[in-house]
Structure formats: structure tokens, C-alpha cells
Amino acid sequence: PPRPDERRGSVKSCVMSILQYNGSAIVAMVGKDCVAIASDMRYGIQQQTIATDMKKVFKMGDKLFVGLSGLITDVQTLKQKFDFRLKMYALRENRPIRPKVFSNLVSTILYEKRFGPYFVEPIIAGLDEKEGPFISAMDLIGAPVFAKDFVVSGTTSDELYGVCEAFWKKDMGPDELFETISQCLLAAVDRDCLAGWGATVHVITKDGITTKQLKSRQD
């Protein structure tokens, strides 16, 4: 006899990754002596939108940001952990943390909980005084990838890969970088029902940080 899920008229259940539970879209992109990181603003529980002002990118230093996609409860827990570890680093070293060192710190924090991981996939973007723009991304157990063009994370990562591959080019200035990362994010979230509802873009240059809010489709 047919199984219950094979009978006519029955609805098949589909298993969803816990990383997709809240939905998110985060992208970081490198320009000429500048770097940008952007995220959507939606906070949802599966298909239900709860809020449209959710912060997913956090400032970790003067020219350093981390974007956290995944389960919102773990995002908030990790943000508090990073704040604590950065204060300890500042006390011990008496200097600001460099982007690559912070990336290694994030990777270590995730890997030490690998048997019961935080359901978060971080992106780090920063401007190093010596080495210039830096971006990295990692999975939920801290396996990092370092890139010279762009990195993406969240439920919209497939769409972001497509548009970023098409629009990114070398040696963009801050204004062109802002325009490119904004259009990439807005185009990508239109194809993902779990992300969108506005966006925040941070552009880091040697002169400072520019933060802008973007309006997008509200459906």
C-alpha cells in the first residue's frame, strides 16, 4: 500500500535548515583602498515577517565590521561574545585588533563549539592599515574563505553569487562600490522571500565610514 505521503491529495513535508529559519542576505565587496558590507533588514520566522529594522552587521572596530547571518538568537549571543573578547584583546594588547586577527578569533570561537555549533555564518569586512581591504567568510564551524572580490552569506547567497559575479569589477572607488553592492543586494533579495524589506550599506575608506539605508520592495 502507498505510504501516507504518497497518497493523492496529501501534502509532503519538507525539511528546512535551521540556518534558513529567520532569513538573511549579507554581502561584502572589495574596491580600490575601500571595502563595503551590506545586509537586508528583515527579521522573520520562516515566511512570517516580524520586523523590518533588524541589525545584522555590527561594528567591531574603527574600520572593522562583522555580518552575522543565520539563527537570530545565536547572532545575538555571538555579538555579545565578540564584544567581550574584543575588550579583553584591547586590555591585553593595548591596540586595535586587525581584520585578519579578528577573522581568526571568530573562526576559533565557532570551531570550539563544533559539536554543538552556533547556527551562524559570519562575514568579516575591514580595512587594514598595512594590508588594505580585507574580507572573509566562514561556515558555522569556522572554516574560513578569504577573497579578493566579494563574499556572500545567508538564504540569498545563491542569488547574490549570480549578481555579484556579473557586476563586480576591480579597483572600484567608494561611490562605484556603494552603487554596485547596493544594486547587487537589492536585485538578489527580490528573488528571496525570506530576505529584503530594506537594506543597510557600510562603506569603509581610509577617511572613515559611510553608512546608508536603502529602501526596497516591501513584499
Side-chain angles (χ1 to χ4, degrees):
R3 295 200 315 267
D5 63 345
E6 290 174 345
R7 289 181 194 139
R8 186 173 294 181
S10 68
V11 178
K12 283 190 178 181
S13 63
C14 90
V15 179
M16 178 202 70
S17 163
I18 194 67
L19 286 162
Q20 298 174 318
Y21 186 70
N22 297 120
S24 54
I26 304 177
V27 55
M29 209 174 264
V30 168
K32 186 174 172 60
D33 301 323
C34 57
V35 64
I37 183 167
S39 78
D40 73 312
M41 301 285 283
R42 179 182 181 271
Y43 165 55
I45 294 174
Q46 295 183 9
Q47 274 78 18
Q48 182 183 11
T49 300
I50 308 295
T52 59
D53 58 354
M54 188 73 205
K55 200 174 174 186
K56 299 174 188 177
V57 175
F58 306 98
K59 190 176 180 182
M60 294 283 113
D62 287 344
K63 291 175 183 176
L64 176 63
F65 284 85
V66 63
L68 301 171
S69 72
L71 193 64
I72 291 294
T73 47
D74 284 353
V75 166
Q76 292 170 334
T77 302
L78 277 176
K79 166 64 168 63
Q80 291 171 353
K81 254 187 187 300
F82 296 159
D83 285 341
F84 170 72
R85 295 291 280 270
L86 283 175
K87 285 171 185 171
M88 292 301 292
Y89 183 91
L91 281 170
R92 273 204 202 98
E93 301 284 332
N94 201 25
R95 62 192 166 116
I97 196 165
R98 293 175 67 181
K100 193 168 187 177
V101 178
F102 179 69
S103 179
N104 292 337
L105 171 67
V106 172
S107 181
T108 304
I109 289 171
L110 292 175
Y111 190 70
E112 67 188 11
K113 289 279 192 289
R114 63 193 176 279
F115 299 117
Y118 295 110
F119 296 108
V120 171
E121 294 182 332
I123 282 180
I124 290 103
L127 200 60
D128 192 288
E129 287 182 6
K130 294 176 184 173
E131 296 178 14
F134 174 89
I135 56 170
S136 73
M138 54 197 77
D139 66 2
L140 75 170
I141 57 165
V145 58
F146 305 102
K148 295 293 182 189
D149 46 7
F150 58 85
V151 287
V152 304
S153 180
T155 52
T156 321
S157 55
D158 287 350
E159 293 89 341
L160 281 165
Y161 271 122
V163 284
C164 291
E165 288 281 6
F167 290 128
W168 183 87
K169 61 179 191 278
K170 283 184 77 172
D171 295 335
M172 289 185 286
D175 292 338
E176 191 180 5
L177 181 64
F178 166 76
E179 195 65 35
T180 303
I181 197 170
S182 300
Q183 293 298 336
C184 284
L185 185 68
L186 292 175
V189 296
D190 279 353
R191 289 285 173 183
D192 181 15
C193 64
L194 299 178
W197 292 74
T200 307
V201 183
H202 306 277
V203 180
I204 312 164
T205 66
K206 61 179 185 296
D207 300 321
I209 297 164
T210 306
T211 300
K212 293 180 182 175
Q213 306 284 336
L214 305 179
K215 287 185 177 178
S216 70
R217 288 177 58 144
Q218 300 288 299
D219 59 357

